[in-house]
Amino acid sequence: MLEIIYQDEHLIAINKPHGLLVHQSSIARDATEFALQMLRDQVGKHVSPVHRLDRKTSGILLFAFDKESEIVMHQQFMNAETEKKYLAILRGFTPEAMNIDYPLAKENGTMQDAYTSFRTLSHAEIDVPFGKHLTSRYSLVEATPKTGRMHQLRRHFSHILHPIIGDRTHGCNKQNKLFLEHWNMTTMLLHASELSFIHPKTSTKIHLKANLHDEFKRVMSFMKMEL
């Protein structure tokens, strides 16, 4: 059963687990379960996703029950009128706070402005050698993307040389291998923790929060990180 964190007659939001696709995709033919179909079966009603999360990203995923609400919410996401916060564990010690202004290319090569701000919540140094270093260093950050480009957080954190742990495409393969061998961890440590938006029917501001899943909390535990 999917964890439902918000529901009314127009919208429903779940706390998506790591590894679950939003819907069927030709690039992930190995998948047999999809959030869209699971939620539809769970509530017994048609649902439409109004935004996307990567397969390995967990957290808040919002759906609409009716077409009008779907269109309005699509527009809010496209126009950057929603407020989103993510939690991530990154390689290395990040600065206390930082704004990333770094354009990103679309699949057709067109460049798009992309802005992310983040603040560091916790640093961790653990007694596991990595490369020529005797220890391994990590940071827990809260990120706020101001734009919504594809893989924006993953690409921005890679750009500043603090990639997200578990990110196979934009991350550090050596770190990912370290986490697999030492802790049997293959999850990407990126979680959509908060979402604020204007309700498409009532015009009231809705603020949602999604608790961390067990795998993310397990890593925080052995790193002795706290929110």
Side-chain angles (χ1 to χ4, degrees), residues 56 151 154 158 166-173 176 188:
K56 292 180 72 177
H151 295 177
R154 298 165 64 181
S158 178
D167 185 347
R168 293 179 183 173
T169 307
H170 306 285
C172 173
N173 290 332
N176 296 343
M188 182 170 67

Side-chain angles (χ1 to χ4, degrees), residues 32-50:
T32 58
E33 291 186 316
F34 312 95
L36 176 64
Q37 293 168 309
M38 291 174 67
L39 184 60
R40 178 198 62 198
D41 294 345
Q42 187 170 322
V43 300
K45 294 173 66 176
H46 171 80
V47 294
S48 298
V50 299

